[in-house]
Amino acid sequence: MELNKLRQKLKNENLNSIFGEITKISATSIEIKGLKTGIGDIIKLISNENEHLQTLAMVVEIKDKFSYLSPFSFIEGFKIGDRAFLSDAGMQIGVSDELLGRVVDPFMRPKDGKGAIEASKFMPIMRAPIDAMKRGLIEEVFPVGVKTIDALLTCGVGQKLGIFAGSGVGKSTLMGMIVKNSKAPIKVVALIGERGREIPEFIQKNLGGKLDDTVIIVATSDDSALMRKYGAFCAMSVAEYFKEQGKDVLFIMDSVTRFAMAQREIGLALGEPPTTKGYPPSVLSLLPQLMERAGKEEGKGTITAFFTVLVDGDDMSDPIADQSRSILDGHIVLSRELTDFGIYPPINIQNSASRVMGDIITNEHKLLARKFKRLNSLLKENEVLLRIGAYQKGSDKELDEAIAKKDFMQKFLGQNPEESFEFNDTIELLKQIDTSIAMPNNQNLGSSNATLPNPNQK
Ligand SMILES: Nc1ncnc2c1ncn2[C@@H]1O[C@H](COP(=O)(O)OP(=O)(O)OP(=O)(O)O)[C@@H](O)[C@H]1O
Ligand SMILES: [Mg+2]
């Protein structure tokens, strides 16, 4: 076993004895000659003056005898004539169970100062998505411990969902709640393009510092575009490593937008034409390559994935938001408008949808959820009328019911970040939309008998 590990390691380190040399260096790309390369090959650059100055780069364009590379890290210090080796193993990362509880960079190098991580297996970074015929049906509920989602936007094991929101609306907080409260045995968190300062804050504040079953993969905003792009794929490979052991994995990534921006940088530098919002066409084909790798595969485990998508100025027609929505099987939209009213988590239930919900919940749950959504929409629709007191009680029976249950609904939709609710308790609570309140005959329209049980603190 040990020998095998060593062999794998050597194989991965093995560099060809033939090498090429750097012929041109620009701010974002490097030209080399002397190597026969293919697109996507990994090249190791080593400085002639200083053996320790090394970096990895990827072949992104080939023309005549020249290959054009996009580097994974800074290229300061490299000079014309420095050596370029073709890496035999291609794009692989070393993974193992030791990753649990750790914070690492896309190459699985520790970022938490807790010592080296020994690889037990090498996983390719770029892989084909799950074969369509091998995709298992989503038929089991994936409880996330957030009442609004479990009750009204129920997720399934192996589902892919997007969390769409503007900046500062509450994505990270909601992500943290999902990671903390869901019962998946393995959790993989990819933080792509976040400000470096936010990482320890996210771990401490949103995850509560509990990491035993979690791997956090980080590529911050100051990392190279290639690092941010492949950071997301590396994180998916880690999730796949656990999935192949038959485990149910929660994969959560913040944010798809920063990942797309990294590809925009790479694509534009290579001369791709910019389209809407400057995104080159390759961005749109890259999103399914990543997202379609999540899901349920027959005979193996599952990857239930949540991707956050930043919507600029809350504009839902943003190309990245649009493309993500078409690939994912559900979207949770967070509204700034709700935060203005102090409603947290600010999930806009009217604009959100879980496409698998209907297949995985009971009929009773379906009816309750439908009723909740309908009453909530009615209130929203008549908000102005109600506020100015122009509505005459008794004119519309359903609206009267909605008014009577307003308080209950509002309480139901609110949840503090440290609260966690069991799925069954959430459904019991949801039943109050149907039974708890007798039609009020008094003028106190906001009153409700609804009582919320104590949340199950974990
Ligand atoms: N469930 C909640 N309960 C109370 N406050 C919340 C909740 N969710 C979010 N907030 C408030 O909203 C603020 C912003 O949240 P958060 O950092 O999660 O947003 P974000 O969308 O990730 O922001 P950014 O775009 O900067 O990454 C938090 O500092 C917190 O005060
Ligand atoms: Mg955030």
Side-chain angles (χ1 to χ4, degrees), residues 78-95:
F78 283 99
K79 302 208 166 112
I80 305 284
D82 284 346
R83 287 159 298 159
F85 293 86
L86 185 61
S87 165
D88 274 348
M91 290 245 288
Q92 292 195 340
I93 45 163
V95 290

Side-chain angles (χ1 to χ4, degrees), residues 49-195:
E49 284 174 12
N50 173 8
E51 284 283 328
H52 297 293
L53 180 60
Q54 303 185 346
T55 188
L56 292 177
M58 181 191 270
V59 178
V60 286
E61 193 183 348
I62 306 162
K63 205 168 164 187
D64 301 331
K65 288 181 182 146
F66 298 96
S67 307
Y68 297 86
L69 316 181
S70 199
F72 277 99
S73 58
F74 294 114
I75 47 176
E76 272 80 11
F78 283 99
K79 302 208 166 112
I80 305 284
D82 284 346
R83 287 159 298 159
F85 293 86
L86 185 61
S87 165
D88 274 348
M91 290 245 288
Q92 292 195 340
I93 45 163
V95 290
S96 74
D97 289 357
E98 285 181 26
L99 283 169
L100 291 171
R102 303 296 302 267
V103 183
V104 293
D105 78 358
F107 289 113
M108 305 296 119
R109 294 178 294 212
K111 280 207 140 201
D112 51 10
K114 288 191 196 157
I117 299 166
E118 187 137 357
S120 64
K121 192 174 176 191
F122 286 88
M123 299 282 293
I125 298 175
M126 301 305 284
R127 294 178 93 187
I130 303 174
D131 188 346
M133 299 312 287
K134 287 199 185 132
R135 264 185 197 277
L137 286 180
I138 296 174
E139 47 203 7
E140 204 185 320
V141 170
F142 184 86
V144 297
V146 178
K147 277 180 292 168
T148 312
I149 300 180
D150 283 344
L152 308 173
L153 301 162
T154 320
C155 309
V157 175
Q159 189 177 2
K160 311 183 286 282
L161 288 118
I163 299 175
F164 295 78
S167 60
V169 176
K171 291 180 300 301
S172 302
T173 312
L174 183 63
M175 263 180 60
M177 287 166 85
I178 294 173
V179 176
K180 265 191 298 186
N181 300 344
S182 70
K183 300 255 179 347
I186 305 284
K187 297 159 182 176
V188 176
V189 180
L191 300 174
I192 307 297
E194 295 284 303
R195 294 166 283 257

Side-chain angles (χ1 to χ4, degrees), residues 12-16 41-44 56 85-90:
N12 207 43
E13 281 294 314
N14 201 8
L15 302 168
N16 267 328
D41 279 350
I42 298 296
I43 306 288
K44 190 170 199 170
L56 292 177
F85 293 86
L86 185 61
S87 165
D88 274 348

Side-chain angles (χ1 to χ4, degrees), residues 154-412:
T154 320
C155 309
V157 175
Q159 189 177 2
K160 311 183 286 282
L161 288 118
I163 299 175
F164 295 78
S167 60
V169 176
K171 291 180 300 301
S172 302
T173 312
L174 183 63
M175 263 180 60
M177 287 166 85
I178 294 173
V179 176
K180 265 191 298 186
N181 300 344
S182 70
K183 300 255 179 347
I186 305 284
K187 297 159 182 176
V188 176
V189 180
L191 300 174
I192 307 297
E194 295 284 303
R195 294 166 283 257
R197 162 190 76 72
E198 284 182 340
I199 311 293
E201 191 184 305
F202 178 80
I203 295 169
Q204 279 310 319
K205 213 174 98 186
N206 299 116
L207 299 185
K210 275 194 223 134
L211 288 176
D212 301 346
D213 52 2
T214 310
V215 187
I216 301 182
I217 293 115
V218 175
T220 47
S221 52
D222 53 342
D223 280 321
S224 70
L226 216 53
M227 205 70 152
R228 278 175 277 141
K229 171 180 169 182
Y230 286 102
F233 286 106
C234 291
M236 190 57 89
S237 295
V238 172
E240 282 168 345
Y241 164 71
F242 290 107
K243 183 191 84 174
E244 282 172 12
Q245 297 176 7
K247 299 200 169 122
D248 289 324
V249 183
L250 165 70
F251 177 88
I252 199 155
M253 172 172 152
D254 194 11
S255 74
V256 169
T257 311
R258 304 247 162 81
F259 163 74
M261 285 172 173
Q263 177 62 18
R264 175 167 69 185
E265 245 174 74
I266 297 167
L268 293 181
L270 287 174
E272 267 193 79
T275 59
T276 332
K277 290 212 173 165
Y279 287 108
S282 63
V283 172
L284 299 184
S285 60
L286 199 68
L287 292 179
Q289 278 180 40
L290 175 72
M291 291 170 170
E292 293 287 3
R293 280 168 63 180
K296 184 172 172 184
E297 188 169 356
E298 271 169 14
K300 294 187 179 164
T302 57
I303 300 175
T304 309
F306 290 82
F307 298 93
T308 70
V309 182
L310 192 75
V311 266
D312 253 356
D314 296 326
D315 167 20
M316 288 299 289
S317 61
D318 175 272
I320 302 306
D322 229 25
Q323 170 77 347
S324 305
R325 221 158 4 151
S326 70
I327 304 166
L328 300 169
D329 343 291
H331 48 274
I332 296 169
V333 178
L334 306 186
S335 284
R336 198 176 299 277
E337 200 191 334
L338 294 172
T339 66
D340 292 343
F341 286 101
I343 299 173
Y344 284 105
I347 300 171
N348 184 329
I349 53 177
Q350 271 119 353
N351 293 350
S352 306
S354 164
R355 290 191 198 157
V356 304
M357 180 175 174
D359 304 329
I360 54 173
I361 59 171
T362 61
N363 261 337
E364 186 193 16
H365 181 175
K366 242 179 260 180
L367 292 174
L368 290 167
R370 203 176 296 160
K371 179 157 187 185
F372 192 110
K373 285 183 195 163
R374 184 162 168 77
L375 293 186
N376 194 59
S377 300
L378 266 177
L379 277 182
K380 191 138 183 55
E381 210 176 280
N382 293 288
E383 200 176 359
V384 178
L385 220 59
L386 294 172
R387 278 196 192 282
I388 58 171
Y391 174 70
Q392 191 86 43
K393 197 169 88 75
S395 345
D396 179 340
K397 235 175 131 199
E398 215 181 359
L399 184 54
D400 285 342
E401 191 182 358
I403 294 166
K405 291 173 185 174
K406 184 177 166 195
D407 267 10
F408 163 70
M409 289 195 281
Q410 251 172 20
K411 265 194 205 157
F412 189 89

